[in-house]
Amino acid sequence: MPGKTKTAGDVVDQLMDRFVQSPLHRRRKWGLLRAFGTNREDMPIAATGANFQSQLRSAVHLVISMPEYQLT
Amino acid sequence: MTQGMTRREFIKKGLTMVAVGVTAPSFITRTALAMNNPWDVAQVTSRPGVPDDRILVVVQMGGGNDGLNTVIPFTNDAYYRARPNLAVPQKEVIRVTDELGFHPNLAQVKDLYDKGAMAVIQGVGYPNPSRSHFKSMEIWQTADPEGRVVRYGWIGRYFDSKCPVCEQPTVGVNVGQAMPLAMNAETGMGVSLENPETFQWMPALNGLGEKEEQELFKLLNAPAPGVDEPGTIDFLRHTAMNAHVSSERVRAALNGYRSGVEYANTRFASSMRLIAQMIAGKLPTKVYYAHMTGFDTHANQRGTHENLLLQLAGGVSTFYKDLEAQGNADRVVVLAFSEFGRRVAENGSNGTDHGTAAPMFVFGKAIKGGLYGAQPSLTDLQDGDLKHGIDFRSVYATVLDKWMGADPAKILGHNFERVAFI
C-alpha cells in the first residue's frame, strides 16, 4: 500500500478506490474496518504489522464479493 | 459494542418489518422469513386435500433417450426389421405385457412397476417436433413449443405462482453445475449445487479464517437500514443472502442424515443420494432436479445406452429404497424425461439419430402405476419418426394439478388434459 495509508480507514479507502470506485455506505465501510480488527477509521495501522497480510487478504476477498465490486 | 446485525437480530428485524408492514425491499422480508421456520410461511395457495410437503424430483435424461430400446415392442416385426443390429432380442426383454417389455437393464425398476410405483407414459411428444437438442430441451423446459415465454421455465413459473414455501431460497434445488431453464423464475428462487462441500462461503487463503470472514460477509451483505440501493445492487445482495441462507440450510440438512442404503458409484446415483439426504434433512424444497447425460447415441449405441439404462434404474430404485427407509416414499414423485426419442430405424453407425416421441417415466409410492397412452405405431410414421399420442404438457399438468396442488392452466397457459397416473 502507498505510504500515505497510515490508518485502517486509509486502507479501506484505498481498497474502495482501486476496486469499486464509488462511495461506500458507512455501515459497509465499518464492516471492512472490522477485517482489520477495529471499529475506528483512525486506528493506526502498519503494513509491517504481524496480522496485516492476512487482514488485507480477507479484506480484498470481501470487497470482491460485494455487489458494488461486481457491478464496477 | 458491536454495531453489526447478527443473524438472530436480522431475523427479528426482518420479521418485525413483516409484522408492521414497513416498506422494505421484498427480499429482506423473504430472506428473514426463510431464516425462520421454513414450513410455516407463505401458505398462499395451499389447496385443501393436497399436502404442502409433497416433493417433485425431475430427472433429465439429456441427449435424447431411445424409447424404443427402453420400452420394447418385442412382438412387433417392424421393430426387428428397423433395427437388425440394435434390437433387443425377444428372449432378453423383461415382459410387462404380451406386447411390451423393458430393456433387461431396467430390472430394478421393473420391481417398482410390479409394486405399482412406476408409470410409463408412452408416445410422449409435442406438435411440430424439433430435432435440435437445444431447441427441443428449451421446449420441454419452458413447456412452450411456440416460444412465447422462453425466459422462464415451467417449474420456475410454478415457483412464481406463490406456492407453499415458494418464498424459500431453497424451494428448488438443482444438483448440477448450472440452473436449468426449467427452474428459471421471475422471482429468482432456487439454488444449484454440485458438491455441498463447495456450496458455501469460501474464505481467502491465509486470511482471517472462515468463521470470521463469514460473519463479515453477512455483515457486508445484510440490508443497510434506511438505504435505498439501486435495483441491481439490491438484486445481487438478495442473491448473495439467499445463497448464504441456502448454503447453511443445505449443509445442515445433509449433516443430519446418513443413508443406510448403498448407492452405485455413478454420478447420477450420487445426485439421487444427495437429494435423498436433503429430503431426510427436511430441507424446505418442492422441486429437485437431477441430470443424466450421454443419451445421444448416434454411434455404437448398444453398450452406451445399456449402461445408461442401468444407471437410471439403479439410481431411481435405490433412491426409492432410501425414501422408504426414511418414511418419505409417499411424499415424493420422480418424473423422468428426455428432450426427444430416436428415429425408428437404426443408422449405419450402429446407432440411432434424433427422433420424436418417447416414453416418460413417473415413480412414486403415491402414484397409480402402469402403462398409459398407446405405444406409437411403427408403420404409421411421420418422416420416419413416431407420432406422439400424449402431449408432454399433459404430464406436467397432471403433476402440477394432482401432485403439487397448483393450477396448471395458469402455469402452462392452457388447460391440458390430465393423464391418470396420479
Side-chain angles (χ1 to χ4, degrees):
Chain A
M1 305 294 279
K4 63 181 179 181
T5 51
K6 300 187 187 316
T7 67
D10 292 339
V11 178
V12 171
D13 287 342
Q14 281 283 331
L15 291 174
M16 296 314 295
D17 285 348
R18 285 165 187 253
F19 291 108
V20 178
Q21 293 135 32
S22 67
L24 188 67
H25 187 266
R26 184 176 179 77
R27 185 183 187 85
R28 308 208 191 288
K29 185 170 187 179
W30 178 81
L32 288 173
L33 286 170
R34 289 269 308 269
F36 296 94
T38 182
N39 292 330
R40 291 170 42 204
E41 288 189 50
D42 60 356
M43 174 80 172
I45 204 159
T48 54
N51 298 322
F52 182 73
Q53 293 296 324
S54 59
Q55 290 170 336
L56 186 60
R57 279 193 192 95
S58 289
V60 171
H61 196 64
L62 287 162
V63 166
I64 63 176
S65 74
M66 293 170 65
E68 289 86 348
Y69 168 78
Q70 292 164 45
L71 291 173
T72 297
Chain B
M1 178 181 145
T2 179
Q3 294 173 33
M5 191 188 289
T6 66
R7 185 172 179 273
R8 182 168 297 177
E9 287 166 343
F10 179 63
I11 295 168
K12 193 175 165 188
K13 288 184 181 181
L15 289 173
T16 304
M17 287 178 205
V18 178
V20 299
V22 171
T23 302
S26 61
F27 81 82
I28 298 175
T29 55
R30 282 205 302 264
T31 306
L33 285 166
M35 292 166 79
N36 195 30
N37 184 351
W39 285 104
D40 280 353
V41 297
Q43 305 290 323
V44 180
T45 57
S46 272
R47 184 192 295 172
V50 180
D52 288 339
D53 63 350
R54 285 181 172 177
I55 292 166
L56 173 66
V57 179
V58 177
V59 174
Q60 176 176 304
M61 299 185 285
N65 177 41
D66 183 9
L68 274 178
N69 269 20
T70 305
V71 179
I72 301 158
F74 66 88
T75 58
N76 194 329
D77 289 341
Y79 168 68
Y80 290 97
R81 280 198 305 274
R83 299 184 165 202
N85 297 303
L86 289 182
V88 179
Q90 197 175 80
K91 64 178 188 297
E92 293 179 18
V93 172
I94 302 172
R95 294 186 179 216
V96 174
T97 69
D98 289 342
E99 296 174 344
L100 288 171
F102 289 162
H103 188 281
N105 282 2
L106 293 179
Q108 292 181 84
V109 290
K110 176 63 165 47
D111 290 343
L112 296 181
Y113 185 88
D114 292 340
K115 285 181 189 171
M118 175 184 183
V120 179
I121 303 142
Q122 304 182 92
V124 184
Y126 55 90
N128 304 312
S130 170
R131 289 194 186 84
S132 151
H133 290 292
F134 181 81
K135 184 64 187 170
S136 196
M137 188 59 87
E138 181 182 278
I139 287 169
W140 275 82
Q141 295 203 10
T142 58
D144 181 26
E146 288 83 32
R148 289 166 304 188
V149 289
V150 76
R151 282 181 68 191
Y152 305 117
W154 73 279
I155 300 167
R157 298 201 296 276
Y158 165 72
F159 295 157
D160 288 337
S161 75
K162 304 215 180 299
C163 66
V165 306
C166 274
E167 301 289 323
Q168 302 295 315
T170 54
V171 63
V173 174
N174 169 57
V175 181
Q177 286 184 332
M179 186 70 82
L181 177 59
M183 292 174 91
N184 196 28
E186 190 172 6
T187 48
M189 299 310 239
V191 294
S192 245
L193 66 113
E194 194 161 40
N195 178 353
E197 296 306 313
T198 55
F199 183 56
Q200 58 179 307
W201 166 253
M202 303 300 279
L205 285 174
N206 301 318
L208 294 170
E210 182 175 336
K211 195 174 173 189
E212 194 158 359
E213 273 194 36
Q214 275 204 23
E215 287 306 311
L216 292 174
F217 174 81
K218 280 195 267 188
L219 184 67
L220 287 168
N221 285 288
V227 178
D228 186 18
E229 294 185 302
T232 42
I233 286 187
D234 178 83
F235 175 79
L236 285 174
R237 229 181 274 293
H238 168 197
T239 305
M241 284 304 286
N242 274 346
H244 193 75
V245 169
S246 305
S247 160
E248 287 187 340
R249 189 175 288 161
V250 166
R251 282 181 294 118
L254 293 175
N255 288 335
Y257 178 72
R258 287 286 172 272
S259 173
V261 179
E262 192 170 339
Y263 285 80
N265 186 25
T266 67
R267 196 181 183 118
F268 175 61
S270 298
S271 299
M272 297 306 277
R273 179 178 51 208
L274 196 58
I275 292 170
Q277 282 180 279
M278 288 186 272
I279 291 170
K282 297 183 169 55
L283 199 67
T285 300
K286 292 294 286 183
V287 183
Y288 292 94
Y289 207 99
H291 302 256
M292 292 186 75
T293 57
F295 285 90
D296 196 17
T297 49
H298 288 284
N300 303 318
Q301 171 174 314
R302 188 175 286 277
T304 305
H305 190 242
E306 288 170 354
N307 184 38
L308 287 166
L309 293 182
L310 194 62
Q311 287 183 37
L312 174 72
V316 170
S317 63
T318 311
F319 177 70
Y320 187 87
K321 282 179 198 154
D322 203 347
L323 294 179
E324 280 194 314
Q326 295 172 15
N328 282 322
D330 54 359
R331 290 180 55 212
V332 181
V333 158
V334 178
L335 180 71
F337 81 98
S338 194
E339 70 267 37
F340 42 61
R342 316 296 294 183
R343 287 175 77 78
V344 173
E346 65 185 36
N347 62 24
S349 307
N350 286 327
T352 50
D353 297 325
H354 301 178
T356 51
M360 283 179 83
F361 306 102
V362 187
F363 304 92
K365 194 171 185 177
I367 69 162
K368 297 170 191 162
L371 286 175
Y372 293 89
Q375 169 71 20
S377 168
L378 297 187
T379 50
D380 179 20
L381 304 175
Q382 188 167 30
D383 300 328
D385 280 322
L386 300 172
K387 292 178 181 173
H388 80 274
I390 293 179
D391 192 302
F392 72 98
R393 291 166 293 181
S394 283
V395 180
Y396 289 178
T398 307
V399 170
L400 288 167
D401 179 20
K402 306 288 186 187
W403 188 247
M404 311 296 274
D407 180 352
K410 284 185 183 167
I411 292 167
L412 302 174
H414 181 74
N415 198 18
F416 290 93
E417 193 178 341
R418 313 293 193 265
V419 187
F421 60 84
I422 298 178

